[in-house]
Amino acid sequence: AKVGNPLPTLFSELDSHAKWFVNEGYTQEIANTVWAGAKLRLDLPHLMDEVEVNARWLISNGSAQAVSNIAWACATLGIPSPNLFLEIDKRALWLVENGSDQDIENTLWAISTLNTTSTEKNNLLLELGQQQQQHQQQNKSANPAVIRNKKIIDLGRKKNWRGMLYIHETESKEFDHINYATVMNYLGFNLSIDYEDIAFNSFLDDLADQLQRRGIEWMGGRGIANILSALGTMELKSPNAKRIALYISKEASAEWLAKNGTPEDVANTAWACATLGIFWR
């Protein structure tokens, strides 16, 4: 879905085997597939029927991201799925407490889009979501790391890699794990970087030092995946890049990531290790 190739035969075959897929698949796999189909605006009637039939199991066992992706897919395709949203309502408080801003936003959008806000439970989810977003917004407005990250994202979208590295150069002592991961993520999408640049290599050296000093848990699964994916995309094999990659791929780090990361985090990290020629030890 991310490369915009519908692969109609693949999705058609998947839809014809929807019952098997939902019965045998994990919740994240099902959520990712439903999301991909909706992203491509594909008609998958049997798969969506199975999602509705198995709504309780999917919502009870899925992550907040999985729940959000399924809700988003239903709304995007215009499929009401009353059982699904009833189960989401039952886990409203859990979703708000465990979901990211994006998870909550996507779920609220789905509810509003499908006009499923008539019950008290739906209203409760909306209210909880709004309260949570207000609370998070208040916290963010006072958080220097979040303000810094917004600047990094703005520069990253403009392909201004020197500007991002300048922020690191002048504010490195205040950088948190999200700032490091965000810079690295946008560096990975920029093809104009001078890999010999002093500021660029200073950033990689600092990142390697921070990981070794603070540990992989400090960065988190998504941050680790973003960092290593960026190195893989750049096919960067400089000494400081290897320090980062080898630290992440060592046995203790790999074990932590496998237990605590999402399937997407693990898959992206494995891809990057293969691209960089680094074996999990």
Side-chain angles (χ1 to χ4, degrees):
K2 288 189 176 181
V3 297
N5 185 354
L7 295 174
T9 303
L10 173 63
F11 279 95
S12 176
E13 287 298 317
L14 188 151
D15 192 53
S16 67
H17 294 82
K19 189 176 185 64
W20 165 82
F21 181 70
V22 173
N23 287 340
E24 298 295 327
Y26 292 105
T27 54
Q28 192 65 50
E29 295 169 343
I30 296 166
N32 289 350
T33 304
V34 169
W35 175 90
K39 185 76 173 176
L40 296 168
R41 302 300 193 274
L42 297 178
D43 184 24
L44 302 172
H46 298 103
L47 178 58
M48 300 310 293
D49 284 347
E50 288 300 322
V51 167
E52 175 70 353
V53 169
N54 293 276
R56 177 173 297 180
W57 175 77
L58 284 169
I59 303 307
S60 297
N61 293 278
S63 65
Q65 182 187 31
V67 171
S68 167
N69 284 353
I70 293 172
W72 179 89
C74 289
T76 300
L77 296 174
I79 301 173
S81 303
N83 289 335
L84 179 79
F85 283 95
L86 180 61
E87 294 301 325
I88 291 175
D89 285 332
K90 292 178 181 178
R91 303 204 74 195
L93 185 58
W94 167 86
L95 179 62
V96 171
E97 290 179 344
N98 293 276
S100 66
D101 287 355
Q102 192 66 52
D103 297 332
I104 297 170
E105 181 180 338
N106 286 348
T107 307
L108 293 174
W109 174 82
I111 291 173
S112 299
T113 299
L114 294 173
N115 294 319
T116 60
T117 57
S118 59
T119 68
E120 289 185 9
K121 291 181 178 179
N122 284 134
N123 289 330
L124 173 62
L125 178 57
L126 284 168
E127 182 179 350
L128 286 171
Q130 290 165 356
Q131 289 178 355
Q132 179 75 353
Q133 288 175 326
Q134 290 173 359
H135 176 68
Q136 291 172 339
Q137 192 60 43
Q138 290 172 354
N139 289 341
K140 285 183 176 181
S141 63
N143 188 335
V146 173
I147 296 173
R148 185 182 307 112
N149 219 51
K150 290 181 178 179
K151 295 179 182 177
I152 293 170
I153 291 172
D154 183 55
L155 292 169
R157 288 173 174 169
K158 295 176 181 177
K159 306 292 185 182
N160 187 349
W161 62 274
R162 293 186 186 277
M164 291 192 298
L165 294 176
Y166 179 75
I167 292 179
H168 170 260
E169 185 179 355
T170 56
E171 302 181 38
S172 60
K173 291 183 179 179
E174 307 299 328
F175 257 48
D176 70 356
H177 63 291
I178 296 176
N179 296 154
Y180 282 104
T182 303
V183 170
M184 199 65 199
N185 182 56
Y186 279 102
L187 289 176
F189 288 108
N190 198 318
L191 302 178
S192 64
I193 298 172
D194 176 7
Y195 296 155
E196 302 298 323
D197 183 81
I198 294 176
F200 175 71
N201 283 282
S202 176
F203 172 77
L204 291 181
D205 285 334
D206 182 35
L207 176 56
D209 290 341
Q210 293 295 333
L211 284 173
Q212 290 183 318
R213 184 165 65 88
R214 302 193 183 199
I216 191 173
E217 298 88 350
W218 168 73
M219 182 58 68
R222 180 55 51 87
I224 290 297
N226 286 346
I227 289 168
L228 210 52
S229 292
L231 293 179
T233 301
M234 292 186 285
E235 297 185 1
L236 198 61
K237 299 181 181 181
S238 60
N240 43 27
K242 287 183 177 179
R243 278 182 62 203
I244 295 170
L246 287 172
Y247 178 78
I248 293 173
S249 63
K250 71 179 184 177
E251 185 174 350
S253 298
E255 182 179 355
W256 182 90
L257 183 63
K259 290 181 178 179
N260 297 277
T262 67
E264 183 181 5
D265 298 337
V266 176
N268 288 345
T269 303
W271 169 84
C273 284
T275 301
L276 296 169
I278 297 171
F279 294 95
W280 292 77
R281 300 181 294 168

